[in-house]
Amino acid sequence: MKAAVHTRYGPPEVVRIVDVPMPAVGERDLLVKVQVTTVNRTDCGFRAAHPFFIRVFTGLLRPRRTILGTEFAGTVEAVGGRVTSFAVGDRVFGFHEWRFGAHAEYLSIAEEGPVAPMPANLTDEEAAPSTEGAHYALSNIRKAGIHGGQAALVYGATGAIGSAAVQLLKALGASVTAVCDTSNVDLVLGLGADRVVDYTNEDFMADEQRYDLVLDAVGKSSFGRCKRLLKPRGTYISSDLGPLSQNPILGLVTPLFGGRSVKMPIPPRVGQEELRYLRGLMESGAFKPVIDRRYPLDEIVDAYRYVETGRKIGNVLIMVAGSASHRERR
Ligand SMILES: NC(=O)c1ccc[n+]([C@@H]2O[C@H](COP(=O)([O-])OP(=O)(O)OC[C@H]3O[C@@H](n4cnc5c(N)ncnc54)[C@H](OP(=O)(O)O)[C@@H]3O)[C@@H](O)[C@H]2O)c1
């Protein structure tokens, strides 16, 4: 089968399209024919071994997992002898976090793993990008304990995490102020944001409103600068470590004082409960992943380059099967 393979860490160009053996399918595994996958920031981090310490998990000198790709949507092509809950021909989607393998024509995944039946009313393109950004958004929202009636500010509301966070917060009944640039104000209002701050015209840190949660979904702020936006027991969460890698320490220290605090969620493993939750939101129309560009698998290096500009809007798709012969802009 065809796959995007990297055998050393480095820039997008370390990835090559090559023929590799089909993945092994165990007694309790599904073989999924991948229709659509994504290139996301997790793939970028693991391909480049950035931050450096992730080599402890991914292989010190060379990557242990040579085929990346976490998110997928496709069709069950074969099942192991002891699989009971999926059948050949089922349409499925999922998030093969840590194990990867979706940047290929076929993926093997455990029946009990992070895979679920496709939302009834969704296409592969719509379902494939529904898990990575939403997973991080959801773990942040759950860590902050946000519920209906509370107020949240999402900085970086046009990223994969940010655009999912706006919708997931609205689904919980929170009021949402979203920060984005001028060209995406309408997009973000369309995601359900109650208010938008255009960061090219206004400094969101000068906002007069106070929030239960400030979620920095692009990792470009700091607790020190955002503190004044928080209610007395409000929570600051960032998708990144912070300019001085201070967020993990602040996450340990600030909750001890009982006031405004930093939380540093360690996202739990994605399970089928989470996929079912997201599927329900997608089926009801409450969550629709934002799609930016589409690339055929053969052009995955270009997809990586684009994702690493830090300017993608939502998600970048890789069309594996019946792939689009040219890249398309949203
Ligand atoms: N495993 C990992 O290492 C990992 C995994 C997932 C995420 N993350 C981290 O999580 C963060 C978000 O990931 P993501 O995939 O959601 O990001 P993303 O989709 O790449 O986010 C890019 C978006 O952020 C917006 N943006 C850029 N600079 C901004 C600024 N100064 N103010 C407001 N918006 C800005 C961009 O829009 P405009 O520039 O057009 O405004 C673009 O829409 C990243 O910082 C990433 O490092 C890390």
Side-chain angles (χ1 to χ4, degrees):
M1 68 169 184
K2 203 159 72 165
V5 171
H6 77 302
T7 52
R8 60 190 172 93
Y9 296 118
E13 294 72 27
V14 299
V15 179
R16 296 183 192 288
I17 304 295
V18 292
D19 279 316
V20 297
M22 293 284 282
V25 183
E27 286 284 280
R28 292 188 182 276
D29 294 342
L30 318 176
L31 180 70
V32 177
K33 183 171 170 50
V34 178
Q35 302 285 342
V36 182
T37 179
T38 62
V39 168
N40 55 42
R41 298 291 291 253
T42 302
D43 298 316
C44 296
F46 278 70
R47 190 212 65 234
H50 180 79
F52 191 85
F53 72 78
I54 67 168
R55 289 175 185 242
V56 174
F57 308 103
T58 61
L60 278 182
L61 298 177
R62 292 184 176 277
R64 277 196 288 268
R65 306 249 173 226
T66 55
I67 303 175
L68 293 172
T70 53
E71 299 178 285
F72 63 91
T75 310
V76 177
E77 185 87 357
V79 294
R82 296 173 69 190
V83 168
T84 55
S85 47
F86 292 90
V88 171
D90 285 354
R91 294 176 65 228
V92 293
F93 77 113
F95 183 47
H96 217 196
E97 188 192 26
W98 291 101
R99 291 181 174 271
F100 298 92
H103 289 168
E105 289 179 305
Y106 294 91
L107 162 86
S108 175
I109 187 165
E111 173 186 28
E112 300 299 326
V115 55
M118 189 85 90
N121 49 346
L122 260 66
T123 64
D124 294 323
E125 291 193 24
E126 290 168 319
S130 66
T131 54
E132 195 248 10
H135 173 60
Y136 291 114
L138 195 58
S139 68
N140 291 342
I141 293 166
R142 287 180 171 170
K143 182 76 179 181
I146 294 298
H147 53 75
Q150 291 191 307
L153 179 139
V154 179
Y155 178 43
T158 49
I161 298 174
S163 59
V166 170
Q167 297 177 76
L168 300 181
L169 284 160
K170 287 308 299 174
L172 288 171
S175 74
V176 178
T177 296
V179 184
C180 66
D181 72 355
T182 314
S183 61
N184 291 303
V185 168
D186 288 343
L187 170 85
V188 170
L189 286 171
L191 300 178
D194 301 279
R195 263 182 77 220
V196 176
V197 176
D198 173 353
Y199 75 82
T200 61
N201 289 324
E202 275 176 81
D203 179 3
F204 77 91
M205 284 182 239
D207 197 12
E208 288 307 318
Q209 196 171 321
R210 296 294 173 261
Y211 299 94
D212 299 286
L213 169 66
V214 170
L215 173 56
D216 177 353
V218 278
K220 294 197 172 175
S221 69
S222 67
F223 175 57
R225 291 166 67 213
C226 291
K227 202 172 174 182
R228 63 172 294 282
L229 296 172
L230 294 172
K231 291 182 182 175
R233 296 185 62 82
T235 302
Y236 170 86
I237 297 183
S238 173
S239 58
D240 290 64
L241 300 176
L244 302 170
S245 297
Q246 73 274 36
N247 287 335
I249 310 274
L250 292 173
L252 291 173
V253 174
T254 54
L256 302 177
F257 297 100
R260 300 170 178 90
S261 65
V262 177
K263 290 200 172 129
M264 194 71 200
I266 298 170
R269 284 278 171 112
V270 180
Q272 295 190 344
E273 175 277 327
E274 183 173 318
L275 294 180
R276 281 195 294 272
Y277 176 72
L278 295 174
R279 186 180 65 188
L281 291 180
M282 288 191 280
E283 284 176 340
S284 71
F287 173 45
K288 191 167 192 274
V290 173
I291 298 171
D292 188 341
R293 295 186 183 180
R294 298 165 176 79
Y295 293 82
L297 181 62
D298 289 340
E299 294 182 21
I300 196 166
V301 171
D302 289 339
Y304 271 112
R305 289 189 189 117
Y306 178 56
V307 171
E308 289 182 7
T309 62
R311 305 303 305 268
K312 75 176 163 66
I313 306 300
N315 301 280
V316 168
L317 303 187
I318 302 297
M319 316 302 289
V320 180
S323 89
S325 57
H326 60 284
R327 77 190 61 163
E328 295 169 41
R329 183 73 174 142
R330 178 168 47 104

Short mmCIF file of all heavy atoms in Angstrom, two decimals, residues 91-149:
data_model
loop_
_atom_site.label_atom_id
_atom_site.label_comp_id
_atom_site.label_asym_id
_atom_site.label_seq_id
_atom_site.Cartn_x
_atom_site.Cartn_y
_atom_site.Cartn_z
N ARG A 91 -18.76 2.31 7.86
CA ARG A 91 -18.04 3.59 7.74
C ARG A 91 -17.66 4.03 9.15
O ARG A 91 -18.49 4.03 10.06
CB ARG A 91 -18.91 4.64 7.06
CG ARG A 91 -19.21 4.30 5.60
CD ARG A 91 -20.15 5.32 4.98
NE ARG A 91 -19.54 6.62 4.91
CZ ARG A 91 -20.13 7.76 5.32
NH1 ARG A 91 -21.33 7.74 5.85
NH2 ARG A 91 -19.52 8.91 5.21
N VAL A 92 -16.39 4.36 9.33
CA VAL A 92 -15.89 4.69 10.68
C VAL A 92 -15.02 5.95 10.63
O VAL A 92 -14.52 6.34 9.58
CB VAL A 92 -15.06 3.52 11.27
CG1 VAL A 92 -15.94 2.31 11.55
CG2 VAL A 92 -13.91 3.14 10.34
N PHE A 93 -14.86 6.54 11.82
CA PHE A 93 -13.90 7.63 11.97
C PHE A 93 -13.20 7.46 13.31
O PHE A 93 -13.67 6.70 14.17
CB PHE A 93 -14.59 9.00 11.87
CG PHE A 93 -15.33 9.42 13.11
CD1 PHE A 93 -14.91 10.51 13.87
CD2 PHE A 93 -16.46 8.73 13.56
CE1 PHE A 93 -15.59 10.91 15.02
CE2 PHE A 93 -17.16 9.11 14.71
CZ PHE A 93 -16.72 10.20 15.43
N GLY A 94 -12.08 8.14 13.49
CA GLY A 94 -11.39 7.98 14.76
C GLY A 94 -10.13 8.82 14.86
O GLY A 94 -9.82 9.64 13.99
N PHE A 95 -9.42 8.59 15.97
CA PHE A 95 -8.24 9.39 16.33
C PHE A 95 -7.18 8.44 16.85
O PHE A 95 -7.21 8.06 18.03
CB PHE A 95 -8.66 10.41 17.40
CG PHE A 95 -7.57 11.37 17.82
CD1 PHE A 95 -6.80 12.04 16.90
CD2 PHE A 95 -7.36 11.65 19.17
CE1 PHE A 95 -5.82 12.95 17.29
CE2 PHE A 95 -6.39 12.55 19.59
CZ PHE A 95 -5.63 13.20 18.64
N HIS A 96 -6.25 8.01 16.00
CA HIS A 96 -5.25 7.03 16.40
C HIS A 96 -4.08 7.72 17.08
O HIS A 96 -2.92 7.64 16.62
CB HIS A 96 -4.79 6.22 15.18
CG HIS A 96 -4.54 4.79 15.51
ND1 HIS A 96 -3.83 3.94 14.71
CD2 HIS A 96 -4.91 4.03 16.57
CE1 HIS A 96 -3.77 2.74 15.25
NE2 HIS A 96 -4.42 2.78 16.38
N GLU A 97 -4.40 8.37 18.17
CA GLU A 97 -3.44 9.14 18.94
C GLU A 97 -2.29 8.26 19.40
O GLU A 97 -2.52 7.13 19.82
CB GLU A 97 -4.20 9.67 20.16
CG GLU A 97 -3.46 10.64 21.00
CD GLU A 97 -4.21 10.85 22.30
OE1 GLU A 97 -4.96 9.94 22.73
OE2 GLU A 97 -4.05 11.89 22.89
N TRP A 98 -1.09 8.77 19.33
CA TRP A 98 0.14 8.07 19.74
C TRP A 98 0.51 6.91 18.81
O TRP A 98 1.67 6.70 18.54
CB TRP A 98 0.06 7.55 21.18
CG TRP A 98 0.05 8.67 22.17
CD1 TRP A 98 -1.04 9.19 22.83
CD2 TRP A 98 1.16 9.45 22.62
NE1 TRP A 98 -0.66 10.23 23.64
CE2 TRP A 98 0.70 10.40 23.54
CE3 TRP A 98 2.53 9.43 22.32
CZ2 TRP A 98 1.52 11.32 24.15
CZ3 TRP A 98 3.36 10.35 22.95
CH2 TRP A 98 2.85 11.28 23.85
N ARG A 99 -0.44 6.15 18.33
CA ARG A 99 -0.09 5.01 17.47
C ARG A 99 0.01 5.43 16.00
O ARG A 99 0.69 4.80 15.23
CB ARG A 99 -1.13 3.90 17.62
CG ARG A 99 -1.04 3.25 18.97
CD ARG A 99 -2.05 2.15 19.12
NE ARG A 99 -1.86 1.46 20.36
CZ ARG A 99 -1.07 0.41 20.52
NH1 ARG A 99 -0.42 -0.07 19.49
NH2 ARG A 99 -0.93 -0.17 21.68
N PHE A 100 -0.74 6.48 15.63
CA PHE A 100 -0.66 7.05 14.27
C PHE A 100 -1.01 6.00 13.19
O PHE A 100 -1.77 5.08 13.46
CB PHE A 100 0.73 7.65 14.01
CG PHE A 100 1.06 8.79 14.93
CD1 PHE A 100 1.73 8.59 16.13
CD2 PHE A 100 0.67 10.08 14.61
CE1 PHE A 100 2.03 9.64 16.98
CE2 PHE A 100 0.97 11.14 15.46
CZ PHE A 100 1.65 10.92 16.63
N GLY A 101 -0.50 6.24 11.96
CA GLY A 101 -0.68 5.28 10.87
C GLY A 101 -1.74 5.67 9.86
O GLY A 101 -1.99 4.94 8.90
N ALA A 102 -2.38 6.84 10.03
CA ALA A 102 -3.47 7.22 9.12
C ALA A 102 -2.99 7.86 7.83
O ALA A 102 -3.79 8.04 6.92
CB ALA A 102 -4.46 8.14 9.84
N HIS A 103 -1.70 8.20 7.73
CA HIS A 103 -1.19 8.76 6.47
C HIS A 103 -0.84 7.60 5.52
O HIS A 103 0.29 7.48 5.04
CB HIS A 103 0.03 9.64 6.71
CG HIS A 103 -0.30 10.93 7.40
ND1 HIS A 103 0.65 11.77 7.93
CD2 HIS A 103 -1.49 11.54 7.63
CE1 HIS A 103 0.06 12.83 8.47
NE2 HIS A 103 -1.23 12.70 8.31
N ALA A 104 -1.80 6.75 5.30
CA ALA A 104 -1.59 5.55 4.49
C ALA A 104 -2.93 5.09 3.94
O ALA A 104 -3.98 5.53 4.41
CB ALA A 104 -0.97 4.45 5.34
N GLU A 105 -2.85 4.19 2.97
CA GLU A 105 -4.11 3.73 2.38
C GLU A 105 -4.91 2.84 3.33
O GLU A 105 -6.13 2.78 3.25
CB GLU A 105 -3.82 2.99 1.06
CG GLU A 105 -3.36 3.96 -0.02
CD GLU A 105 -3.03 3.27 -1.32
OE1 GLU A 105 -2.20 2.32 -1.29
OE2 GLU A 105 -3.58 3.67 -2.36
N TYR A 106 -4.19 2.15 4.23
CA TYR A 106 -4.87 1.28 5.19
C TYR A 106 -4.30 1.49 6.58
O TYR A 106 -3.10 1.76 6.74
CB TYR A 106 -4.72 -0.20 4.79
CG TYR A 106 -5.44 -0.52 3.50
CD1 TYR A 106 -4.77 -0.41 2.29
CD2 TYR A 106 -6.78 -0.90 3.49
CE1 TYR A 106 -5.42 -0.69 1.09
CE2 TYR A 106 -7.44 -1.17 2.31
CZ TYR A 106 -6.76 -1.05 1.11
OH TYR A 106 -7.41 -1.30 -0.07
N LEU A 107 -5.16 1.31 7.56
CA LEU A 107 -4.80 1.51 8.96
C LEU A 107 -5.38 0.35 9.75
O LEU A 107 -6.54 -0.04 9.53
CB LEU A 107 -5.44 2.82 9.42
CG LEU A 107 -5.61 3.10 10.90
CD1 LEU A 107 -4.32 3.73 11.42
CD2 LEU A 107 -6.75 4.07 11.14
N SER A 108 -4.60 -0.20 10.68
CA SER A 108 -5.12 -1.25 11.55
C SER A 108 -5.36 -0.64 12.93
O SER A 108 -4.48 0.05 13.46
CB SER A 108 -4.09 -2.39 11.64
OG SER A 108 -4.53 -3.34 12.57
N ILE A 109 -6.53 -0.88 13.49
CA ILE A 109 -6.87 -0.28 14.79
C ILE A 109 -7.67 -1.28 15.61
O ILE A 109 -8.48 -2.04 15.05
CB ILE A 109 -7.63 1.06 14.60
CG1 ILE A 109 -7.82 1.78 15.94
CG2 ILE A 109 -8.96 0.87 13.88
CD1 ILE A 109 -8.23 3.24 15.80
N ALA A 110 -7.43 -1.28 16.93
CA ALA A 110 -8.15 -2.21 17.80
C ALA A 110 -9.63 -1.87 17.83
O ALA A 110 -10.01 -0.69 17.86
CB ALA A 110 -7.57 -2.16 19.20
N GLU A 111 -10.45 -2.92 17.86
CA GLU A 111 -11.90 -2.72 17.93
C GLU A 111 -12.29 -1.85 19.13
O GLU A 111 -13.22 -1.05 19.04
CB GLU A 111 -12.57 -4.11 18.06
CG GLU A 111 -14.04 -4.08 18.31
CD GLU A 111 -14.61 -5.47 18.58
OE1 GLU A 111 -13.88 -6.33 19.08
OE2 GLU A 111 -15.79 -5.67 18.28
N GLU A 112 -11.57 -2.02 20.25
CA GLU A 112 -11.88 -1.25 21.46
C GLU A 112 -11.17 0.10 21.46
O GLU A 112 -11.27 0.85 22.42
CB GLU A 112 -11.43 -2.04 22.71
CG GLU A 112 -12.08 -3.39 22.88
CD GLU A 112 -13.59 -3.28 23.03
OE1 GLU A 112 -14.05 -2.29 23.61
OE2 GLU A 112 -14.30 -4.18 22.54
N GLY A 113 -10.43 0.39 20.41
CA GLY A 113 -9.64 1.62 20.35
C GLY A 113 -10.49 2.83 20.00
O GLY A 113 -11.72 2.77 19.96
N PRO A 114 -9.81 3.96 19.73
CA PRO A 114 -10.52 5.22 19.45
C PRO A 114 -11.08 5.26 18.03
O PRO A 114 -10.61 6.00 17.17
CB PRO A 114 -9.44 6.28 19.67
CG PRO A 114 -8.16 5.56 19.47
CD PRO A 114 -8.34 4.14 19.81
N VAL A 115 -12.07 4.42 17.79
CA VAL A 115 -12.74 4.34 16.49
C VAL A 115 -14.23 4.20 16.76
O VAL A 115 -14.64 3.57 17.73
CB VAL A 115 -12.19 3.15 15.67
CG1 VAL A 115 -12.28 1.83 16.41
CG2 VAL A 115 -12.86 3.05 14.31
N ALA A 116 -15.04 4.82 15.92
CA ALA A 116 -16.50 4.80 16.14
C ALA A 116 -17.21 4.85 14.79
O ALA A 116 -16.63 5.29 13.79
CB ALA A 116 -16.91 6.01 16.99
N PRO A 117 -18.47 4.40 14.78
CA PRO A 117 -19.24 4.51 13.54
C PRO A 117 -19.37 5.96 13.12
O PRO A 117 -19.47 6.87 13.95
CB PRO A 117 -20.61 3.94 13.92
CG PRO A 117 -20.35 3.11 15.13
CD PRO A 117 -19.22 3.75 15.86
N MET A 118 -19.34 6.17 11.83
CA MET A 118 -19.42 7.53 11.26
C MET A 118 -20.76 8.17 11.60
O MET A 118 -21.79 7.50 11.56
CB MET A 118 -19.31 7.40 9.74
CG MET A 118 -19.16 8.69 9.04
SD MET A 118 -17.46 9.18 9.02
CE MET A 118 -16.98 8.42 7.50
N PRO A 119 -20.76 9.47 11.91
CA PRO A 119 -22.04 10.16 12.07
C PRO A 119 -22.89 9.98 10.81
O PRO A 119 -22.37 10.11 9.69
CB PRO A 119 -21.64 11.62 12.25
CG PRO A 119 -20.21 11.59 12.63
CD PRO A 119 -19.61 10.37 12.04
N ALA A 120 -24.17 9.68 10.99
CA ALA A 120 -25.02 9.28 9.88
C ALA A 120 -25.04 10.30 8.74
O ALA A 120 -25.01 9.95 7.57
CB ALA A 120 -26.43 9.05 10.40
N ASN A 121 -25.06 11.57 9.10
CA ASN A 121 -25.28 12.60 8.08
C ASN A 121 -24.00 13.27 7.60
O ASN A 121 -24.04 14.34 7.00
CB ASN A 121 -26.24 13.66 8.63
CG ASN A 121 -25.81 14.16 10.01
OD1 ASN A 121 -24.96 13.53 10.66
ND2 ASN A 121 -26.36 15.27 10.46
N LEU A 122 -22.85 12.66 7.90
CA LEU A 122 -21.59 13.34 7.57
C LEU A 122 -20.80 12.61 6.49
O LEU A 122 -20.87 11.39 6.36
CB LEU A 122 -20.72 13.46 8.81
CG LEU A 122 -20.76 14.84 9.49
CD1 LEU A 122 -22.13 15.13 10.05
CD2 LEU A 122 -19.72 14.94 10.56
N THR A 123 -20.03 13.38 5.74
CA THR A 123 -19.12 12.79 4.75
C THR A 123 -17.78 12.48 5.44
O THR A 123 -17.51 12.95 6.54
CB THR A 123 -18.86 13.77 3.60
OG1 THR A 123 -18.18 14.91 4.15
CG2 THR A 123 -20.16 14.22 2.94
N ASP A 124 -16.94 11.70 4.73
CA ASP A 124 -15.60 11.42 5.25
C ASP A 124 -14.83 12.71 5.50
O ASP A 124 -14.11 12.85 6.47
CB ASP A 124 -14.82 10.56 4.25
CG ASP A 124 -15.42 9.17 4.09
OD1 ASP A 124 -15.88 8.59 5.08
OD2 ASP A 124 -15.44 8.67 2.94
N GLU A 125 -15.01 13.66 4.59
CA GLU A 125 -14.29 14.94 4.72
C GLU A 125 -14.70 15.69 5.97
O GLU A 125 -13.90 16.37 6.60
CB GLU A 125 -14.55 15.84 3.51
CG GLU A 125 -13.93 15.34 2.25
CD GLU A 125 -13.95 16.40 1.15
OE1 GLU A 125 -14.01 17.60 1.47
OE2 GLU A 125 -13.92 16.01 -0.01
N GLU A 126 -15.96 15.58 6.32
CA GLU A 126 -16.45 16.31 7.50
C GLU A 126 -16.04 15.60 8.79
O GLU A 126 -15.75 16.25 9.80
CB GLU A 126 -17.97 16.45 7.44
CG GLU A 126 -18.43 17.41 6.36
CD GLU A 126 -19.93 17.32 6.10
OE1 GLU A 126 -20.47 16.20 6.08
OE2 GLU A 126 -20.55 18.37 5.91
N ALA A 127 -16.03 14.26 8.76
CA ALA A 127 -15.76 13.51 10.00
C ALA A 127 -14.27 13.43 10.30
O ALA A 127 -13.87 13.45 11.47
CB ALA A 127 -16.35 12.11 9.90
N ALA A 128 -13.43 13.32 9.27
CA ALA A 128 -11.99 13.08 9.51
C ALA A 128 -11.36 14.15 10.42
O ALA A 128 -10.59 13.81 11.31
CB ALA A 128 -11.23 12.98 8.19
N PRO A 129 -11.67 15.45 10.23
CA PRO A 129 -10.99 16.44 11.07
C PRO A 129 -11.70 16.76 12.39
O PRO A 129 -11.48 17.81 12.96
CB PRO A 129 -10.99 17.68 10.15
CG PRO A 129 -12.23 17.54 9.34
CD PRO A 129 -12.48 16.06 9.17
N SER A 130 -12.53 15.84 12.84
CA SER A 130 -13.39 16.16 14.00
C SER A 130 -12.78 15.82 15.34
O SER A 130 -13.40 16.07 16.37
CB SER A 130 -14.72 15.42 13.87
OG SER A 130 -14.51 14.02 13.96
N THR A 131 -11.56 15.24 15.36
CA THR A 131 -11.14 14.66 16.64
C THR A 131 -9.94 15.34 17.31
O THR A 131 -9.93 15.48 18.53
CB THR A 131 -10.82 13.16 16.46
OG1 THR A 131 -9.87 13.03 15.40
CG2 THR A 131 -12.08 12.38 16.11
N GLU A 132 -8.92 15.73 16.54
CA GLU A 132 -7.68 16.19 17.20
C GLU A 132 -7.90 17.53 17.91
O GLU A 132 -7.73 17.65 19.12
CB GLU A 132 -6.53 16.29 16.18
CG GLU A 132 -5.16 16.39 16.86
CD GLU A 132 -4.49 17.75 16.68
OE1 GLU A 132 -5.13 18.70 16.20
OE2 GLU A 132 -3.30 17.85 17.05
N GLY A 133 -8.32 18.54 17.14
CA GLY A 133 -8.57 19.85 17.75
C GLY A 133 -9.65 19.74 18.83
O GLY A 133 -9.52 20.32 19.91
N ALA A 134 -10.69 18.98 18.54
CA ALA A 134 -11.79 18.84 19.50
C ALA A 134 -11.34 18.13 20.77
O ALA A 134 -11.79 18.46 21.87
CB ALA A 134 -12.95 18.07 18.86
N HIS A 135 -10.43 17.17 20.62
CA HIS A 135 -9.93 16.45 21.80
C HIS A 135 -9.21 17.39 22.76
O HIS A 135 -9.47 17.40 23.97
CB HIS A 135 -9.00 15.33 21.34
CG HIS A 135 -8.31 14.61 22.45
ND1 HIS A 135 -9.01 13.95 23.44
CD2 HIS A 135 -6.99 14.48 22.75
CE1 HIS A 135 -8.14 13.42 24.30
NE2 HIS A 135 -6.92 13.73 23.90
N TYR A 136 -8.31 18.20 22.19
CA TYR A 136 -7.59 19.14 23.06
C TYR A 136 -8.54 20.21 23.60
O TYR A 136 -8.46 20.58 24.78
CB TYR A 136 -6.41 19.76 22.32
CG TYR A 136 -5.32 18.75 22.04
CD1 TYR A 136 -5.00 18.36 20.75
CD2 TYR A 136 -4.65 18.14 23.09
CE1 TYR A 136 -4.02 17.40 20.52
CE2 TYR A 136 -3.68 17.17 22.87
CZ TYR A 136 -3.37 16.81 21.58
OH TYR A 136 -2.41 15.85 21.37
N ALA A 137 -9.45 20.68 22.77
CA ALA A 137 -10.42 21.68 23.24
C ALA A 137 -11.25 21.11 24.39
O ALA A 137 -11.42 21.74 25.44
CB ALA A 137 -11.32 22.12 22.09
N LEU A 138 -11.74 19.89 24.19
CA LEU A 138 -12.62 19.28 25.20
C LEU A 138 -11.87 19.02 26.50
O LEU A 138 -12.41 19.25 27.60
CB LEU A 138 -13.18 17.97 24.63
CG LEU A 138 -14.36 17.34 25.34
CD1 LEU A 138 -15.54 18.30 25.39
CD2 LEU A 138 -14.78 16.05 24.63
N SER A 139 -10.63 18.55 26.40
CA SER A 139 -9.92 18.27 27.66
C SER A 139 -9.66 19.57 28.41
O SER A 139 -9.72 19.61 29.65
CB SER A 139 -8.64 17.48 27.42
OG SER A 139 -7.71 18.25 26.75
N ASN A 140 -9.43 20.68 27.68
CA ASN A 140 -9.25 21.98 28.35
C ASN A 140 -10.55 22.44 29.00
O ASN A 140 -10.55 22.92 30.14
CB ASN A 140 -8.80 23.03 27.33
CG ASN A 140 -7.40 22.77 26.81
OD1 ASN A 140 -6.62 22.04 27.42
ND2 ASN A 140 -7.07 23.36 25.68
N ILE A 141 -11.63 22.31 28.28
CA ILE A 141 -12.93 22.78 28.79
C ILE A 141 -13.34 21.94 30.01
O ILE A 141 -13.82 22.47 31.02
CB ILE A 141 -14.00 22.68 27.68
CG1 ILE A 141 -13.68 23.69 26.56
CG2 ILE A 141 -15.40 22.90 28.23
CD1 ILE A 141 -14.47 23.44 25.27
N ARG A 142 -13.12 20.64 29.92
CA ARG A 142 -13.48 19.77 31.05
C ARG A 142 -12.58 20.05 32.25
O ARG A 142 -13.04 20.05 33.39
CB ARG A 142 -13.41 18.30 30.63
CG ARG A 142 -14.59 17.93 29.73
CD ARG A 142 -14.56 16.47 29.28
NE ARG A 142 -15.80 16.12 28.60
CZ ARG A 142 -16.00 14.99 27.92
NH1 ARG A 142 -15.03 14.10 27.83
NH2 ARG A 142 -17.16 14.74 27.34
N LYS A 143 -11.30 20.30 32.00
CA LYS A 143 -10.38 20.61 33.11
C LYS A 143 -10.81 21.90 33.81
O LYS A 143 -10.73 22.00 35.04
CB LYS A 143 -8.96 20.76 32.55
CG LYS A 143 -7.90 21.02 33.59
CD LYS A 143 -7.55 19.77 34.35
CE LYS A 143 -6.47 20.01 35.39
NZ LYS A 143 -6.12 18.79 36.12
N ALA A 144 -11.30 22.86 33.04
CA ALA A 144 -11.73 24.13 33.64
C ALA A 144 -13.11 23.99 34.28
O ALA A 144 -13.54 24.89 35.02
CB ALA A 144 -11.77 25.22 32.57
N GLY A 145 -13.80 22.90 34.01
CA GLY A 145 -15.12 22.66 34.62
C GLY A 145 -16.18 23.63 34.14
O GLY A 145 -17.08 24.00 34.90
N ILE A 146 -16.08 24.06 32.90
CA ILE A 146 -17.04 25.07 32.39
C ILE A 146 -18.41 24.46 32.18
O ILE A 146 -18.55 23.33 31.71
CB ILE A 146 -16.51 25.64 31.04
CG1 ILE A 146 -15.22 26.41 31.29
CG2 ILE A 146 -17.55 26.53 30.36
CD1 ILE A 146 -15.35 27.62 32.21
N HIS A 147 -19.43 25.22 32.56
CA HIS A 147 -20.81 24.77 32.36
C HIS A 147 -21.66 25.92 31.85
O HIS A 147 -21.19 27.07 31.73
CB HIS A 147 -21.38 24.18 33.65
CG HIS A 147 -21.24 25.08 34.84
ND1 HIS A 147 -22.03 26.19 35.04
CD2 HIS A 147 -20.37 25.05 35.88
CE1 HIS A 147 -21.68 26.79 36.15
NE2 HIS A 147 -20.65 26.13 36.68
N GLY A 148 -22.91 25.62 31.58
CA GLY A 148 -23.82 26.61 31.02
C GLY A 148 -23.89 27.87 31.86
O GLY A 148 -23.84 27.81 33.09
N GLY A 149 -23.95 29.03 31.20
CA GLY A 149 -24.07 30.30 31.91
C GLY A 149 -22.74 30.93 32.23
O GLY A 149 -22.68 32.10 32.61
#
